[in-house]
Amino acid sequence: MATKIDKEACREAYNLVRDDGSAVIWVTFKYDGSTIVPGEQGAEYQDFIQQCTDDVRMFAFVRFTTGDAMSKRSKFALITWIGENVSGLQRAKTGTDKTLVKEVVQNFAKEFVISDRKELEEDFIKNELKKAGGANYDAQTE
């Protein structure tokens, strides 16, 4: 059966993360049968990491504050999490299902496909976003 996405509900969750006035910095998009729907959301990145278990596949949209002494700004990441115990067929399907998520989640600095919890570390993601962000005035003080 072909996967569908609840565009309206997912768009609402996406906009919560994009809103600088919102405390929500992450939201997951998970499978409810063959439909992708908004999952959990939160204000602490560590709470998001707890959602990433070995038997789950999901997508997440996360806001990070990056920058340097000269400017702080929000950067967004689209993370595809595929747990180690997810079957090969589901792994493959996740790649094609991501196109549905990208119909809603359109603005992000970098995309990640992660199966290893070490790669979920906040510093790792922030460093990758920093590299994607261009000018880095912190380099002058290193």
Side-chain angles (χ1 to χ4, degrees):
M1 195 154 99
T3 304
K4 300 183 304 266
I5 187 167
D6 183 341
K7 278 190 182 178
E8 285 308 307
C10 289
R11 190 169 286 117
E12 280 181 37
Y14 165 72
N15 286 332
L16 263 179
V17 175
R18 293 217 25 104
D19 180 1
D20 287 334
S22 166
V24 175
I25 65 158
W26 62 268
V27 63
T28 61
F29 302 102
K30 63 181 186 172
Y31 291 87
D32 182 9
S34 63
T35 304
I36 297 172
V37 298
E40 305 297 319
Q41 62 188 39
E44 295 292 328
Y45 184 73
Q46 293 305 316
D47 294 338
F48 159 66
I49 292 176
Q50 300 307 313
Q51 306 296 313
C52 300
T53 58
D54 286 343
D55 58 342
V56 170
R57 62 185 176 130
M58 67 179 167
F59 307 94
F61 183 62
V62 186
R63 174 178 16 145
F64 293 92
T65 302
T66 64
D68 47 51
M70 303 300 277
S71 71
K72 297 270 185 226
R73 57 197 164 277
S74 292
K75 291 283 185 188
F76 300 93
L78 175 61
I79 299 173
T80 302
W81 168 258
I82 303 172
E84 287 184 27
N85 297 337
V86 172
S87 74
L89 182 61
Q90 283 188 324
R91 282 176 182 272
K93 209 164 166 344
T94 303
T96 56
D97 293 346
K98 187 180 355 180
T99 59
L100 295 171
V101 174
K102 285 182 170 180
E103 289 176 14
V104 174
V105 177
Q106 296 181 339
N107 297 307
F108 51 89
K110 191 158 174 70
E111 180 179 336
F112 299 85
V113 177
I114 299 175
S115 296
D116 183 346
R117 287 184 68 99
K118 284 186 225 125
E119 292 180 25
L120 282 172
E121 290 178 14
E122 192 169 4
D123 288 342
F124 174 79
I125 304 272
K126 279 187 169 181
N127 284 335
E128 291 298 308
L129 287 172
K130 208 173 204 178
K131 288 179 198 172
N136 175 11
Y137 299 106
D138 276 349
Q140 295 171 356
T141 60
E142 291 177 356

